[in-house]
Structures are given as structure tokens and as C-alpha cells.
Amino acid sequence: SIASNSYIMDGNGGRKVASDNLELIEANGIGIANLMTDYFKKHSPVSPPALDGRTYHERSSKVFGTAAADIDGSCRDHTCAYGVLLCEEMLRQGQKAGHATEIALYHAGALLASVPQGNVTFESLLQVHRFGYLISFFRLRGTYVRMLLEDMLADHGAPGRGNAASWLQVAGLRFQASWNGSWALGRVQVQIDTEWKDLDTTEMLTREYSVAGSSNVRFSRKVVNKNCVPLEDDGPGALITMSKFFESSSPVQPPPDDQRECLTGNCTWLQESRDFSWRPQAATNMLIACTLMLFNVFL
């Protein structure tokens, strides 16, 4: 028998395991404000409780590893170093779990601080991950991946002024966008094995991609929630994932900027990517040409 707030009971924040499996006893219980008002009336003066080991917060000084330099966590306008490290680790965890993960997406609104140079403790990681989001794994067609990026750009605002929580940090994916009063999304590529391929968005032949996303991306983005095929909704927590990463990979260096989110027309990878890969328009044109040839043969 459990007492909980309505946020958990309703399955918010990716906690569907609670909402889908509970047997409700009382839905409209006591308001938290009234509960605590009565408590202070009955028990004042109130002293802070003794620490009894029930939460990770009591282990805040535990050192998981070290940061060789400051790792930037200001992620709402552009690619940030911490967002890259997190998404790359999400890719690895998804592949390790057998999901064949190809793309990782994490919303910037859940990254709330940078990691300073030196020892990385539970407290320093908790400053970044105060909301405690889980990682979800799902499959999503390329058309909807592109729509998600277009929605993100529409929320962003002018270059250098982005402050939207919806801005995504990414791995396994790179894109180019340009600003002319509004954002226009250009080329989008996904890394398949070791090769970069254009995102498949053809209407008839579009493929599904295996994605790791924060629970906010999975449940709060309509284009994802309505169109994805779930693989694992309640995956590992982002905080625990990164604590294990620092334990195994320290000292951790900030990653170099690889222009995976290129907001100018001067993308190094865009100039280098001249090899033929799967291009939706090319595929469409080929299909039309073949249809016309067959039509002419039968005539």
C-alpha cells in the first residue's frame, strides 16, 4: 500500500510503470500544503531528520571520476559538451541493451548545469540532472525524425538567442539549418555503422530508426508519442548512466566540436559529404523513371 503524489500516479515523467499497474484506493486525497501545515502545527519546533541512508542525496560527496576541464552544460542554443557526452553514452547503452540504437536525442531543458574541472561527485551530477529523467528506447520513421527537428528549430528563435527547453542534444545524427527570419532545415544525416547516410524520408520507402531519447522526448513530443514503436519505455536514469560513464572513462575531456548541429551554411561535413548515399529525392526520381519505362514497354 503506497501513498504518492498525483504526478507519479498519473504516469508523468515516464513513470508509466506506476500508472499502468496500480490498484487505486483513493484518488483525491489530502493536499500537500494542508498536510504539511497540520504537521508543523502538531510537531513544532521541527528539527531536520537524521540521515538514514534512504536516498542517494546522502551520498553527495561520492566521487565517480574526474573532469579534465570544465564540461559545458549550457545546451539550449547549440551543441554543448555535456550533451554530446550524454547522447554518445545513450547510444552505447542502447546498443549494449540489444536495441541496435542509431540515434540519441536528449532535450536541453533537463540539463541544468555544467560539470566543473576536477572531481565529479554525485552532487555535481545532481546539479545537471535535477529532474531525474529516464532514457526510453523506441523506433521512429525518418519522416517523423525530421518533423521533430523542424519543431525544435521553430521553438529556437534567432541564432545565438536560443533558450528553449525543447532544443535537442544529439548523437548518431547531424543536421544543417539556416536562418532567414525563420529556420529552414537542410540536410540531415544518420551514422549507419561507420558511414553517414542521408535521413530516409521518402513517403513509400521510409525506414524506421532505432532511437534513444529522454522520457520527455518519448512522452511529451506528440510527433514521437503518436508515431513511435516502443522498445523500452522505462530505461536507465540519465544521472545513473552518467555516473557510471565517469566511473569507467575518467579523466573525461570535453569533446571537440564536430558541427553535428550546424547552424550556418559553412559545415565542414556538408562540404566533405560528396559520396552517394541514400537520398530521398534521388530515390523518388529513380522510382518515377522506372515506372515510366514500364509504362512505355506495355504501350
Side-chain angles (χ1 to χ4, degrees):
S1 181
I2 300 174
S4 171
N5 64 354
S6 57
Y7 185 86
I8 294 175
M9 184 184 72
D10 292 340
N12 292 304
R15 297 173 177 86
K16 301 273 295 176
V17 67
S19 63
D20 288 350
N21 298 286
L22 61 80
E23 180 181 342
L24 192 61
I25 297 174
E26 182 180 359
N28 300 312
I30 306 167
I32 298 298
N34 291 335
L35 180 72
M36 295 309 292
T37 298
D38 291 342
Y39 175 82
F40 278 98
K41 283 181 180 178
K42 293 177 182 178
H43 299 286
S44 289
V46 175
S47 297
L51 300 181
D52 58 8
R54 71 178 71 182
T55 68
Y56 279 113
H57 297 267
E58 297 165 28
R59 306 173 194 174
S60 60
S61 60
K62 175 178 172 58
V63 176
F64 289 108
T66 57
D70 291 347
I71 300 175
D72 179 31
S74 54
C75 306
R76 293 190 177 205
D77 181 69
H78 49 264
T79 304
C80 70
Y82 190 91
V84 170
L85 293 174
L86 170 59
C87 287
E88 293 291 347
E89 187 61 18
M90 288 166 62
L91 268 186
R92 284 188 286 270
Q93 292 303 314
Q95 293 163 358
K96 185 177 178 181
H99 298 310
T101 306
E102 298 162 304
I103 298 171
L105 307 168
Y106 202 91
H107 69 295
L111 302 177
L112 302 177
S114 300
V115 174
Q117 182 180 10
N119 286 341
V120 177
T121 64
F122 182 84
E123 178 61 29
S124 59
L125 290 179
L126 188 63
Q127 293 302 310
V128 182
H129 295 284
R130 275 174 271 170
F131 292 156
Y133 282 98
L134 302 178
I135 298 168
S136 297
F137 300 94
F138 51 90
R139 298 188 69 83
L140 191 66
R141 293 195 180 277
T143 300
Y144 301 121
V145 173
R146 187 174 181 91
M147 288 173 64
L148 180 64
L149 294 176
E150 288 172 339
D151 289 346
M152 174 197 74
L153 287 166
D155 291 342
H156 182 274
R161 300 180 185 177
N163 194 34
S166 61
W167 187 257
L168 296 172
Q169 298 298 307
V170 304
L173 176 146
R174 61 189 185 185
F175 67 88
Q176 182 269 338
S178 56
W179 173 265
N180 187 18
S182 62
W183 286 104
L185 179 61
R187 197 168 183 180
V188 182
Q189 293 190 324
V190 179
Q191 190 170 27
I192 307 299
D193 297 324
T194 58
E195 291 187 57
W196 287 98
K197 302 290 186 181
D198 288 341
L199 182 74
D200 181 4
T201 57
T202 54
E203 288 190 18
M204 291 188 295
L205 304 175
T206 182
R207 60 159 287 186
E208 288 183 330
Y209 294 90
S210 183
V211 182
S214 61
S215 50
N216 176 277
V217 171
R218 164 66 179 88
F219 294 103
S220 298
R221 308 296 174 87
K222 290 182 180 179
V223 68
V224 176
N225 195 27
K226 289 183 177 181
N227 299 292
C228 76
V229 177
L231 299 175
E232 183 184 357
D233 280 341
D234 298 319
L239 189 155
I240 299 302
T241 296
M242 290 306 286
S243 66
K244 292 179 179 179
F245 168 72
F246 277 96
E247 277 186 315
S248 63
S249 305
S250 288
V252 175
Q253 293 277 0
D257 181 11
D258 57 7
Q259 294 188 313
R260 64 183 62 190
E261 296 181 331
C262 181
L263 303 182
T264 70
N266 301 316
C267 310
T268 303
W269 60 264
L270 196 59
Q271 298 167 6
E272 294 173 350
S273 185
R274 299 182 184 278
D275 61 311
F276 179 84
S277 57
W278 182 259
R279 290 181 175 81
Q281 190 58 52
T284 302
N285 292 341
M286 187 181 300
L287 183 61
I288 292 170
C290 291
T291 303
L292 290 172
M293 287 175 64
L294 287 172
F295 182 77
N296 289 331
V297 167
F298 283 109
L299 281 180

